[in-house]
Amino acid sequence: MSKKQKTEFNKLQKRLRRHVGKAIEDYNMIEEGDRVMVCLSGGKDSYGMLDILMNLRQSAPVNFELVAVNLDQKQPGFPEEVLPNYLSQLDIEYHILEKDTYSIVKSVVPEGKTTCGLCSRLRRGSLYGFAEQIGATKIALGHHRDDIIETLFLNMFFAGKLKAMPPKLLSDDKQNIVIRPLAYCKEADLAAYAEIKAFPIIPCNLCGSQENLQRQAIKQMLQDWEKQFPGRMDSIFTAIGNVAPSQLADGELFDFKTLKLERPSLDKIRAVNLG
């Protein structure tokens, strides 16, 4: 790289590390003695997450372990040698978990329909179970800021729910805690980082399924908004963490039914002579 390119890369690297460190601090994602299972898909985001966490571990104020885990779902054409070759060069414990979820998905989902939803649920279940087997206290997923915003709009537009992806989540059975260290990171920064670092990217469409068309439509909408009104994505993400339940309409979050006036009684107000 040229001197200018090196300078720009250093700025990018520092920015990503700062964002990850801030997210970890804000949500107490990693604590003393944690054994963090870092889920690697072979995509740019999870590679970046592992790289940044390994670096932050060296200077972190708490001691924690990192364990890299990839779930080989047996999609045809999956280059199963790529991740072991990459991980064997790093000073980190790693596991390749083999589960043929591909066959299950193909047997259940009709031809031509997107398989992403079921595939994701099966993958999550497998990873939750494996985390318990290896004694992992946290499960780190590579969702970034853009993923969180897109999920917010997907749920609003197509599910009638006001929810996104939380930076930290306790599973329904309370057996696992999921963390998203990239919650403050922009996808564009992660893409640029992956390109410079030359991570061995594995495409996510090996199963032959097209990526969720609804998510793609939302992504395009947000990109158009950002071009027209720079900074809009930042505002939306800030809003996710700045919720005012009394200004919405969910009776479970705010008690609208028992609202009562708290002003003085009229018979106690003295008349004022203005003449």
Side-chain angles (χ1 to χ4, degrees):
M1 290 188 290
S2 66
K3 184 176 180 180
K4 181 179 179 181
Q5 288 173 323
K6 288 181 180 178
T7 299
E8 291 301 314
F9 173 69
N10 286 336
K11 289 180 180 178
L12 171 63
Q13 191 172 49
K14 288 179 181 178
R15 183 163 63 248
L16 287 170
R17 290 174 182 173
R18 183 173 66 251
H19 287 327
V20 172
K22 186 69 164 57
I24 291 173
E25 179 183 4
D26 285 352
Y27 295 95
N28 194 28
M29 291 184 182
I30 298 177
E31 302 168 85
E32 179 69 33
D34 266 341
R35 183 167 164 82
V36 182
M37 187 174 96
V38 182
C39 299
L40 286 182
S41 65
K44 67 183 190 310
D45 306 322
S46 58
Y47 275 124
M49 175 175 63
L50 176 62
D51 187 84
I52 295 166
L53 287 176
M54 289 184 67
N55 186 273
L56 288 177
R57 182 179 57 173
Q58 299 173 14
S59 57
V62 296
N63 295 309
F64 62 93
E65 297 178 67
L66 294 174
V67 183
V69 173
N70 168 253
L71 176 61
D72 180 355
Q73 297 178 267
K74 297 303 176 183
Q75 299 102 321
F78 182 78
E80 56 186 36
E81 75 286 349
V82 170
L83 279 165
N85 289 346
Y86 175 77
L87 292 169
S88 63
Q89 301 174 49
L90 308 179
D91 182 22
I92 188 173
E93 177 185 341
Y94 74 89
H95 301 272
I96 306 297
L97 177 61
E98 298 185 0
K99 293 274 188 176
D100 187 5
T101 60
Y102 172 82
S103 297
I104 298 173
V105 170
K106 283 301 184 181
S107 67
V108 173
V109 179
E111 191 67 30
K113 297 292 184 179
T114 182
T115 60
C116 302
L118 177 58
C119 181
S120 176
R121 290 192 294 274
L122 292 173
R123 182 169 62 247
R124 189 184 311 122
S126 297
L127 291 172
Y128 279 4
F130 192 65
E132 295 181 48
Q133 288 182 37
I134 64 173
T137 54
K138 302 286 173 57
I139 301 173
L141 302 181
H143 298 119
H144 45 66
R145 185 202 67 164
D146 298 50
D147 288 326
I148 293 172
I149 295 173
E150 289 164 14
T151 302
L152 171 70
F153 281 91
L154 274 169
N155 280 314
M156 282 198 296
F157 289 176
F158 300 106
K161 296 180 180 179
L162 191 59
K163 73 173 191 176
M165 292 176 174
K168 186 177 182 181
L169 172 72
L170 179 64
S171 62
D172 291 341
D173 63 4
K174 297 180 171 51
Q175 298 300 304
N176 289 286
I177 292 179
V178 172
I179 59 174
R180 295 183 169 97
L182 303 181
Y184 292 169
C185 299
K186 298 179 181 180
E187 182 176 17
D189 283 348
L190 290 163
Y193 190 71
E195 183 175 358
I196 296 170
K197 297 284 285 188
F199 296 134
I201 305 297
I202 299 173
C204 66
N205 61 349
L206 292 172
C207 59
S209 172
Q210 294 298 314
E211 190 173 353
N212 190 302
L213 295 180
Q214 292 175 345
R215 181 173 289 275
Q216 287 302 301
I218 294 294
K219 182 185 287 288
Q220 187 61 55
M221 179 194 74
L222 291 170
Q223 289 175 351
D224 291 342
W225 280 359
E226 185 66 20
K227 288 178 183 177
Q228 188 175 2
F229 304 102
R232 176 164 286 190
M233 292 282 279
D234 289 332
S235 295
I236 294 171
F237 187 75
T238 299
I240 294 175
N242 189 22
V243 179
S246 65
Q247 305 304 302
L248 297 173
D250 190 334
E252 296 294 323
L253 293 180
F254 187 82
D255 186 4
F256 294 97
K257 290 184 177 181
T258 60
L259 289 178
K260 297 184 184 300
L261 292 174
E262 295 183 5
R263 64 190 183 193
S265 176
L266 290 176
D267 61 3
K268 295 182 180 180
I269 299 177
R270 297 179 179 179
V272 178
N273 188 350
L274 299 178

